[in-house]
Amino acid sequence: MTPFAALHHADTPLLLPNAWDHASAMALAGRGFSAVGTTSLGVAAAAGLPDGASATRDETMRLASTLGTEPFLLSVDAEDGFSDDPDEVASFAVELAAAGAVGINLEDGLGPAGLHAAKIAAVKSAAPDLFVNARTDTYWLGEGDGEETLRRLDTYQQAGADGVFVPGAADPAAIGALVERLDVPLNILYSPTGPTVPRLAALGVRRVSLGSLPYRRALGAMLETVTAVAEGRSPQGAALSYDEVVALGRAGRRR
């Protein structure tokens, strides 16, 4: 079992924060997170590109190449693998692994479950040590019931997925039912209006992702800061110092 896989079988769930650039990833690592994921929305929005449209392959690889040699475990959100060809998805996964990534997140976008399973199998064959987190969008897109979710997750774990991801699932009973039926770790997307991390842990969830929440809150904090200054108020909330931010860049140059 790889060190990243082992984090999914520890006493407490893996809380995986998601970064969108070098500075955000290094700041998270500096707070003690041993593993950091990327957020496809943050990467896409920062580049002025649409999320979930297979438009950020180059940006995703560029970020992985920047972060892959840093002193934390890197999992990459690769949307649907940026291709409908399983062999092309596998080739991309091999590039990610060569850059230093230890995990990949692949979403089905509610496309054919068989195609997504073929992508998973191709990735595991080409890069067997890469942790494949297979995502289904049944809850996220509001299509399909609990049985459809389970059918897809079972197909993906049979194809070799190391873990499965169900963003949008927030009902404790539904989450517990998924855990009971799965043979691989379940990943849930944290929501401020959903179960807390301790509650998710009690339900048997093994990985809790923050997704685009840190990126969206960072943008919100920026707007709050600018508004406060414009209105003659002092900005509230914590901010890194100039020297702290400069140090994040220096850490990257020391690789």
Side-chain angles (χ1 to χ4, degrees), residues 153-201:
L153 295 183
D154 184 60
T155 298
Y156 303 158
Q157 66 180 8
Q158 293 298 323
D162 300 287
V164 292
F165 185 22
V166 189
D171 176 66
I175 293 172
L178 290 175
V179 171
E180 288 294 322
R181 295 276 294 273
L182 291 170
D183 297 322
V184 297
L186 175 64
N187 181 192
I188 292 294
L189 181 68
Y190 172 79
S191 169
T193 60
T196 63
V197 172
R199 177 65 172 133
L200 291 171

Side-chain angles (χ1 to χ4, degrees), residues 33-56:
F33 289 98
S34 61
V36 175
T38 63
T39 163
S40 66
L41 175 61
V43 172
L49 295 169
D51 182 35
S54 295
T56 57

Side-chain angles (χ1 to χ4, degrees), residues 213-235:
L213 179 61
Y215 178 71
R216 291 182 286 111
R217 288 189 63 87
L219 291 180
M222 177 195 68
L223 293 175
E224 289 176 4
T225 297
V226 173
T227 300
V229 172
E231 294 176 349
R233 297 180 286 109
S234 295

Side-chain angles (χ1 to χ4, degrees), residues 20-110:
W20 56 93
D21 60 10
H22 181 268
S24 57
M26 294 303 294
L28 291 167
R31 286 296 175 95
F33 289 98
S34 61
V36 175
T38 63
T39 163
S40 66
L41 175 61
V43 172
L49 295 169
D51 182 35
S54 295
T56 57
R57 185 190 190 282
D58 291 344
E59 286 74 15
T60 299
M61 180 54 67
R62 189 175 301 115
L63 182 58
S65 297
T66 300
L67 300 180
T69 56
E70 296 293 357
F72 53 81
L73 300 171
L74 174 66
S75 181
V76 175
D77 185 348
E79 297 186 7
D80 66 350
F82 305 114
S83 175
D84 285 334
D85 184 338
D87 290 336
E88 290 183 4
V89 175
S91 294
F92 183 70
V94 169
E95 290 182 54
L96 287 178
V102 297
I104 184 173
N105 197 75
L106 292 174
E107 60 196 51
D108 64 12
L110 280 186

Side-chain angles (χ1 to χ4, degrees), residues 117-174:
K119 294 180 183 181
I120 295 165
V123 170
K124 290 305 296 182
S125 176
D129 289 335
L130 196 65
F131 188 101
V132 176
N133 196 41
R135 166 177 150 176
T136 185
D137 290 312
T138 48
Y139 280 84
W140 200 239
L141 299 180
E143 298 184 27
D145 55 17
E147 285 305 313
E148 172 66 9
T149 299
L150 283 167
R151 184 183 71 81
R152 284 177 175 264
L153 295 183
D154 184 60
T155 298
Y156 303 158
Q157 66 180 8
Q158 293 298 323
D162 300 287
V164 292
F165 185 22
V166 189
D171 176 66

